[in-house]
Amino acid sequence: MRIDVLTIFPQMFDVPFSFGIFKRAIDQNLISINVHNIRDYTHDKHHTVDDYPYGGGPGMIFKPEPVFEAVEAVKARIPRESGAAEPPVILLTPQGRLFNQQIAMELSEYRNLVLICGHYEGIDERVVEHLVTDEISIGDYVLTGGELPAMVVIDAVIRLLPGVLGSEDSAQEDSHVNGLLEYPQYTRPAVFRGWPVPEVLLSGNHAQIARWRRQQIIQRTLERRPELIDKSKVSQEEKQMVEQFTALDKAKSSLNKEPEE
Ligand code: JBZ
């Protein structure tokens, strides 16, 4: 996969992709990440990329010309077979659809991605209407620009590509792949500062361990992210089993405590 990133802060992308799994994937030519400075596509002496909003209001807006020129130049340099589909042009913006594992899987199917990192108060709407094919947000919090969101999207997408993760890392077992949270993990020592590892994990009884992990997955997801349960394949029966189990557990532990006010 080839990813082209358009930004006014290209140096921000130097560090994250020069380590570990990403560096290995780049060195093995599984992916290439090409970062372009939008400022290089201006023609005035001051390399102006922003201007005041029509109609007034706070902040500055990305001018359309440098963004159009940058995307068009970058797309022209992408090697493509004749008749091949145009690569998606994705704008990172709080107005976008909320990024998730499903969208990461969808994007991992493309040969090429073009990402535009927004800045200032936003971008001229004509870029969105006539150049951008997809708008993505990574979540409901305020950020200063689209660079970190672009890195999040790149991370989530490229780890899905064949060969990017070594055999020791599994893209399948992780949280959110099956739509639920992960079960708790332990390693040695068996007792750390007086805190023991759950006994079942030391039992060597693999059927019992599998049952315990499944119960933990559902219990955690019910407690922390109940909205994920509704979308998943957890059966009503399984859900009720865990809810009863949890209620029983709470009742037991409250017997050992002083009554609450
Ligand atoms: C994003 C103006 O540029 C921005 C500002 C905030 C922001 C993005 C781009 S993308 N927040 C998000 O993914 O939530």
Side-chain angles (χ1 to χ4, degrees), residues 62 91-95 117-123 136-147 149-150:
F62 254 135
L91 177 66
L92 287 309
T93 164
Q95 272 73 50
C117 306
H119 249 275
Y120 311 115
E121 289 304 305
I123 198 157
I136 289 176
S137 167
I138 62 160
D140 296 335
Y141 27 76
V142 182
L143 297 169
T144 56
E147 280 76 12

Side-chain angles (χ1 to χ4, degrees), residues 58-121:
M60 301 294 277
I61 307 298
F62 254 135
K63 292 166 65 57
E65 305 96 313
V67 181
F68 265 85
E69 284 195 36
V71 170
E72 283 161 358
V74 161
K75 275 168 68 172
R77 270 183 264 148
I78 296 175
R80 284 212 332 273
E81 284 135 50
S82 62
E86 294 264 310
V89 178
I90 302 165
L91 177 66
L92 287 309
T93 164
Q95 272 73 50
R97 56 185 176 137
L98 197 54
F99 190 60
N100 58 24
Q101 193 61 26
Q102 167 74 42
I103 299 175
M105 290 193 284
E106 182 189 310
L107 297 182
S108 72
E109 300 291 324
Y110 290 97
R111 283 282 297 144
N112 301 285
L113 299 176
V114 179
L115 303 178
I116 306 172
C117 306
H119 249 275
Y120 311 115
E121 289 304 305

Side-chain angles (χ1 to χ4, degrees), residues 200 205-217 238 241:
V200 58
N205 183 334
H206 295 291
Q208 220 178 318
I209 290 171
R211 209 160 32 225
W212 180 84
R213 285 180 168 167
R214 183 73 186 155
Q215 180 266 324
Q216 289 287 317
I217 286 172
E238 223 173 359
M241 231 170 59

Side-chain angles (χ1 to χ4, degrees), residues 9-253:
F9 295 127
Q11 304 93 316
M12 280 184 76
F13 291 83
D14 290 347
V15 175
F17 300 111
S18 32
F19 293 102
I21 285 164
F22 302 123
K23 183 178 188 306
R24 192 173 64 199
I26 292 164
D27 291 346
Q28 293 180 332
N29 284 323
L30 296 170
I31 52 166
S32 74
I33 300 173
N34 309 283
V35 184
H36 312 272
N37 193 340
I38 296 170
R39 228 175 264 288
D40 294 344
Y41 297 87
T42 56
H43 302 289
D44 64 313
K45 194 172 86 184
H46 299 288
H47 303 287
T48 313
V49 294
D50 60 333
D51 205 341
Y52 298 97
Y54 272 121
M60 301 294 277
I61 307 298
F62 254 135
K63 292 166 65 57
E65 305 96 313
V67 181
F68 265 85
E69 284 195 36
V71 170
E72 283 161 358
V74 161
K75 275 168 68 172
R77 270 183 264 148
I78 296 175
R80 284 212 332 273
E81 284 135 50
S82 62
E86 294 264 310
V89 178
I90 302 165
L91 177 66
L92 287 309
T93 164
Q95 272 73 50
R97 56 185 176 137
L98 197 54
F99 190 60
N100 58 24
Q101 193 61 26
Q102 167 74 42
I103 299 175
M105 290 193 284
E106 182 189 310
L107 297 182
S108 72
E109 300 291 324
Y110 290 97
R111 283 282 297 144
N112 301 285
L113 299 176
V114 179
L115 303 178
I116 306 172
C117 306
H119 249 275
Y120 311 115
E121 289 304 305
I123 198 157
D124 188 289
E125 190 65 17
R126 289 165 291 190
V127 173
V128 179
E129 278 182 26
H130 304 295
L131 188 66
V132 164
T133 62
D134 196 2
E135 298 172 82
I136 289 176
S137 167
I138 62 160
D140 296 335
Y141 27 76
V142 182
L143 297 169
T144 56
E147 280 76 12
L148 290 169
M151 293 177 206
V152 167
V153 169
I154 293 170
D155 187 316
V157 169
I158 64 185
R159 63 185 294 291
L160 296 175
L161 302 177
V164 168
L165 293 190
S167 54
E168 72 274 23
D169 323 276
S170 162
Q172 270 315 303
E173 282 271 322
D174 294 308
S175 291
H176 289 294
V177 171
N178 39 30
L180 300 171
L181 302 184
E182 200 45 282
Y183 54 77
Q185 300 270 26
Y186 298 86
T187 186
R188 287 184 289 185
V191 181
F192 170 68
R193 297 193 176 179
W195 301 306
V197 168
E199 222 174 281
V200 58
L201 297 179
L202 312 177
S203 70
N205 183 334
H206 295 291
Q208 220 178 318
I209 290 171
R211 209 160 32 225
W212 180 84
R213 285 180 168 167
R214 183 73 186 155
Q215 180 266 324
Q216 289 287 317
I217 286 172
I218 302 166
Q219 183 181 328
R220 285 191 157 200
T221 311
L222 274 172
E223 282 172 4
R224 302 176 189 193
R225 301 290 305 278
E227 80 280 9
L228 296 179
I229 290 274
D230 306 325
K231 289 186 244 163
S232 77
K233 285 176 261 170
V234 174
S235 70
Q236 195 61 30
E237 191 186 5
E238 223 173 359
K239 208 172 125 176
Q240 270 168 6
M241 231 170 59
V242 171
E243 271 167 352
Q244 275 166 13
F245 189 93
T246 310
L248 197 73
D249 220 41
K250 285 203 177 118
K252 258 198 259 171
S253 70

